[in-house]
């Protein structure tokens, strides 16, 4: 800074020019780019050190041999002369890319040819600056190949691949990339979706649009994966079901970007619906078959009880009358007494068969029926049977078919334990499982290998059939000499709301079960 009170000394124009030339010369000499100055006769008048090193030629050789000193092939030399002549004739800057043979192999250069005009407007020289862009072009080539492969993969996806974000101002959707699959899925070209994303939003079914944005906002808030399934009303095939899955990430401007895919799941949805309908049909069929079977059992039990029971009772009365009549010899009286005893046995067997076909204890409720089964099991096998019926109130509102299905599962399980397990203890529990019900039957018996036992073996077929009726999930855990655990999880959809009426007191249920076991079931 000049001293205060004194004007700064004027700088001579020649001095400025000299300093400028010195700085320019230093910059050119240190630059990693090529710099060469051609005269109008295309002779080299100057070349910076980088140019000389690149082509392996000394400056004095260039000054003496001129353009031919570069040792270029005739076709490459012709290209150089054509470019120089073009800049000379048109008097304005030209940019070209050439692959040039250098000491390090063929390299790609971006050449900038700048005519230097004199005061009269004529071209006095031609400056050529060359930038080595081999690595740039190689990277661009790799990126181009990668992009081509990505586009090829994305084009074969049965849907579309996308990248989108939310605008900060109006929080509207903005697409940054959309694959070619948009045309088939949405009926809109990818470029159109990118320019007018609102048209894509309009394709989302009105009933599914709120869920679309709600799931997007949840992903934006938590940076969790964005998943959504809904309907698009456009496309070449009309309304389609799509499944969206995208991964969020923070962009450079603190905005959120989603990279994702939208798949056409219409066919899978249709197949799933058909499968659901088939399962419902199978379940309804099983319910109907089980209902008919139970009705037949009930009818048979009724016939056995009423017809055979009455006939056997009448026969017993007649035998009793004969035994008490006068005039019978001791041998005949003994035979009649024997026949009376056999009639009693047959009558009890008839009652047992009728009770097995259709236990009347079911009329008292499922809890009483389960308690009766446990008492009968203990009475016949001597094994301890413990009950936990805390969750059984969920079954109070079940219809007859489902109530009978649960009863038969427990009955068949206890029959299997008695025939095959030889257990000393059985635990039966009903417990709430979410909004559903879990039935677990556990024994300490011999166990078995579930993989080695056929579905039709040891009563599993009937248990599985009734699990289907209930829409339940059946799991069997067993191993040799390790006991067996049978678990039936009944979903909430198969359970009706609990009845508001109070269930029978446990003591009353036990007394009723005892009466039925002693013969009241067939009375």
């Amino acid at each position: 800074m000049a001293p205060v009170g004194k004007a700064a000394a004027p700088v001579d124009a020649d001095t400025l020019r000299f300093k400028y030339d010195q700085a320019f010369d230093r910059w050119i000499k240190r630059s990693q780019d090529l710099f060469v100055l051609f005269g109008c006769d295309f002779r080299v008048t100057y070349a910076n050190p980088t140019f000389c090193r690149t082509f392996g030629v000394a400056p004095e050789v260039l000054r003496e041999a001129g353009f031919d000193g570069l040792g270029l092939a005739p076709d490459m030399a012709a290209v150089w002369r054509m470019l120089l002549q073009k800049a000379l004739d048109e008097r304005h800057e030209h940019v070209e890319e050439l692959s040039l043979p250098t000491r390090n192999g063929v390299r790609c250069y971006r050449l900038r040819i700048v005519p230097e005009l004199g005061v009269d407007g004529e071209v006095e020289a031609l400056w050529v600056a060359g930038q080595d862009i081999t690595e740039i072009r190689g990277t661009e080539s790799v990126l181009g190949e990668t992009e081509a492969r990505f586009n090829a993969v994305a084009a074969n996806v049965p849907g579309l691949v996308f990248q989108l974000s939310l605008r900060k101002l109006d929080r509207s959707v903005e697409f940054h990339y959309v694959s070619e699959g948009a045309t088939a899925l949405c009926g809109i070209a990818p470029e159109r979706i990118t320019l007018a994303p609102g048209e894509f939003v309009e394709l989302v079914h009105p009933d599914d649009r709120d869920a679309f944005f709600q799931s997007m906002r949840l992903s934006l808030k938590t940076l969790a994966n964005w998943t959504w399934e809904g309907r698009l009303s456009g496309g070449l095939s009309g309304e389609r079901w799509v499944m969206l899955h995208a991964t969020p990430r923070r962009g450079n401007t603190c905005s959120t970007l989603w990279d994702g895919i939208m798949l056409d799941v219409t066919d899978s949805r249709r197949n799933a619906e058909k499968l659901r309908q088939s399962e419902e049909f199978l379940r309804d069929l099983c319910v109907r078959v089980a209902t008919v079977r139970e009705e037949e059992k009930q009818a048979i039990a009724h016939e056995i009880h009423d017809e055979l029971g009455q006939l056997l009772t009448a026969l017993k009365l007649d035998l009793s009358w004969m035994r008490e009549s006068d005039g019978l010899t001791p041998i005949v009286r003994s035979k009649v007494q024997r026949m009376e005893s056999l009639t009693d046995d047959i009558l009890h067997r008839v009652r047992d068969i009728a009770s097995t076909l259709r236990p009347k204890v079911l009329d008292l409720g499922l809890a009483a029926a389960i308690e009766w089964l446990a008492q009968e099991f203990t009475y016949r096998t001597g094994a301890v049977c413990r009950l936990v019926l805390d969750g059984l109130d969920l079954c109070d509102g079940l219809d007859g078919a489902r109530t009978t299905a649960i009863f038969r599962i427990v009955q068949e399980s206890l029959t299997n334990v008695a025939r095959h397990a030889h257990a000393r203890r059985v635990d039966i529990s009903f417990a709430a499982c979410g909004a559903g019900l879990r039935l677990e039957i556990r024994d300490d018996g011999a166990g078995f290998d579930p993989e080695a036992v056929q579905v039709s073996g040891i009563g599993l077929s009937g248990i599985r059939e009734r699990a289907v009726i209930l829409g339940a999930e059946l799991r069997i855990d067993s191993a040799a000499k390790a006991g067996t655990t049978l678990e039936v999880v009944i979903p909430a959809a198969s359970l009706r709301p609990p009845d508001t009426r109070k269930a029978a007191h446990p003591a009353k249920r036990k007394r009723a079960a005892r009466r039925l076991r002693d013969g009241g079931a067939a009375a």
Side-chain angles (χ1 to χ4, degrees):
M1 181 178 294
V4 179
K6 293 183 180 180
V11 180
D12 187 282
D14 293 338
T15 303
L16 287 176
R17 180 69 179 177
F18 176 74
K19 291 182 177 180
Y20 172 80
D21 290 342
Q22 282 186 322
F24 183 72
D25 185 61
R26 287 196 299 271
W27 175 70
I28 285 181
K29 288 181 178 180
R30 297 175 182 175
S31 176
Q32 297 301 313
D33 294 337
L34 309 178
F35 284 96
V36 59
L37 182 64
F38 290 93
C40 293
D41 57 355
F42 302 157
R43 296 184 63 83
V44 179
T45 60
Y46 173 80
N48 71 337
T50 301
F51 186 92
C52 295
R53 288 195 303 271
T54 299
F55 291 96
V57 59
E60 56 272 14
V61 174
L62 287 175
R63 287 193 292 270
E64 292 178 1
F67 188 77
D68 297 334
L70 294 176
L72 298 176
D75 55 345
M76 183 59 65
V79 172
W80 269 93
R81 293 182 184 277
M82 180 190 68
L83 295 177
L84 294 174
Q85 188 64 49
K86 182 177 180 181
L88 183 63
D89 295 340
E90 297 181 1
R91 297 186 180 186
H92 63 76
E93 177 181 334
H94 284 280
V95 178
E96 301 286 346
E97 290 187 13
L98 286 181
S99 295
L100 302 177
T102 68
R103 295 179 62 186
N104 297 323
V106 177
R107 308 289 291 180
C108 183
Y109 284 90
R110 179 185 289 114
L111 301 178
R112 186 180 301 274
I113 305 173
V114 182
E116 186 176 287
L117 305 179
V119 294
D120 57 354
E122 296 296 328
V123 177
E124 295 182 349
L126 295 169
W127 273 106
V128 178
Q131 181 185 9
D132 190 344
I133 58 172
T134 306
E135 283 75 15
I136 296 176
R137 286 293 175 261
T139 302
E140 290 177 350
S141 177
V142 172
L143 290 176
E145 293 177 0
T146 303
E147 182 179 0
R149 286 195 295 267
F150 174 79
N151 290 333
V153 172
N156 290 301
V157 172
L160 64 90
V161 181
F162 66 88
Q163 183 187 79
L164 63 80
S165 64
L166 285 177
R167 292 193 179 99
K168 290 186 176 181
L169 296 178
D170 55 1
R171 311 299 288 178
S172 60
V173 176
E174 181 178 11
F175 283 90
H176 303 285
Y177 171 80
V178 179
S179 66
E180 295 295 332
T183 303
L185 185 63
C186 307
I188 303 177
E191 300 79 8
R192 184 63 184 173
I193 294 180
T194 304
L195 295 175
E199 294 187 10
F200 169 81
V201 176
E202 290 297 323
L203 293 179
V204 179
H205 196 280
D207 295 340
D208 301 331
R209 200 169 296 164
D210 289 342
F212 175 84
F213 284 106
Q214 184 177 359
S215 60
M216 186 180 189
R217 287 191 294 268
L218 180 62
S219 176
L220 176 66
K221 181 179 179 180
T222 62
L223 280 184
N225 288 340
W226 177 19
T227 57
W228 171 77
E229 188 168 336
R231 291 163 290 178
L232 296 181
S233 56
L236 302 179
S237 303
E239 184 176 282
R240 308 292 291 175
W241 278 93
V242 297
M243 181 179 65
L244 180 149
H245 183 83
T247 303
R249 58 185 175 89
R250 297 297 185 190
N252 296 330
T253 59
C254 295
S255 62
T256 302
L257 296 173
W258 283 273
D259 303 303
I261 186 171
M262 186 178 295
L263 298 176
D264 187 345
V265 295
T266 305
D267 293 339
S268 61
R269 289 275 303 196
R270 290 173 179 170
N271 293 335
E273 179 63 19
K274 291 180 180 178
L275 179 60
R276 185 190 64 81
Q277 293 176 356
S278 299
E279 291 177 348
E280 289 184 355
F281 176 78
L282 177 61
R283 187 177 298 114
D284 293 341
L285 181 61
C286 289
V287 170
R288 180 58 183 163
V289 170
T291 302
V292 172
R293 186 181 301 166
E294 292 297 331
E295 291 174 353
E296 291 177 350
K297 288 182 178 180
Q298 186 174 3
I300 295 172
H302 178 75
E303 292 294 331
I304 291 176
H305 175 265
D306 291 350
E307 299 297 332
L308 291 181
Q310 291 178 7
L311 292 175
L312 290 171
T313 301
L315 179 60
K316 179 182 177 182
L317 293 175
D318 290 342
L319 291 173
S320 297
W321 178 82
M322 289 179 61
R323 179 171 53 82
E324 294 176 359
S325 298
D326 296 333
L328 293 178
T329 65
I331 297 176
V332 173
R333 190 179 301 277
S334 176
K335 290 290 185 180
V336 171
Q337 187 174 0
R338 176 61 178 167
M339 292 171 63
E340 185 179 1
S341 177
L342 289 174
T343 304
D344 285 335
D345 291 341
I346 295 173
L347 186 58
H348 282 294
R349 291 292 301 273
V350 166
R351 289 174 176 174
D352 289 342
I353 293 173
S355 178
T356 302
L357 288 173
R358 172 63 184 178
K360 286 188 176 294
V361 71
L362 273 174
D363 298 334
L364 299 177
L366 186 58
I370 298 298
E371 290 175 353
W372 175 75
L373 279 178
Q375 292 176 11
E376 284 290 302
F377 176 79
T378 301
Y379 176 76
R380 295 180 184 278
T381 65
V384 177
C385 186
R386 298 189 298 185
L387 299 178
V388 178
L389 306 178
D390 297 339
L392 201 57
D393 291 341
L394 294 173
C395 300
D396 288 349
L398 285 180
D399 56 15
R402 288 174 171 79
T403 300
T404 304
I406 295 175
F407 175 81
R408 293 300 185 190
I409 288 176
V410 178
Q411 185 183 45
E412 191 63 44
S413 298
L414 291 178
T415 301
N416 290 337
V417 173
R419 290 178 179 175
H420 307 284
H422 309 294
R424 293 175 297 176
R425 189 184 69 197
V426 179
D427 296 324
I428 302 175
S429 64
F430 289 84
C433 177
L437 179 69
R438 182 178 68 247
L439 163 62
E440 184 179 88
I441 303 173
R442 183 190 302 269
D443 69 72
D444 62 351
F448 63 96
D449 183 3
E451 298 295 333
V453 176
Q454 297 180 355
V455 175
S456 58
I458 62 173
L460 291 181
S461 178
I463 295 176
R464 293 183 188 277
E465 178 183 328
R466 290 174 172 88
V468 171
I469 294 175
L470 296 167
E473 180 181 356
L474 174 65
R475 290 191 289 267
I476 299 175
D477 183 17
S478 182
K481 299 181 181 180
T484 301
T485 300
L486 183 143
E487 185 181 64
V488 180
V489 179
I490 306 172
S494 297
L495 299 174
R496 294 181 179 179
D499 195 357
T500 56
R501 295 173 298 178
K502 293 183 179 180
H505 192 274
K508 294 182 180 179
R509 293 200 301 262
K510 291 180 180 178
R511 287 196 297 271
R514 191 180 304 112
R515 288 196 303 271
L516 289 169
R517 180 175 60 82
D518 294 338

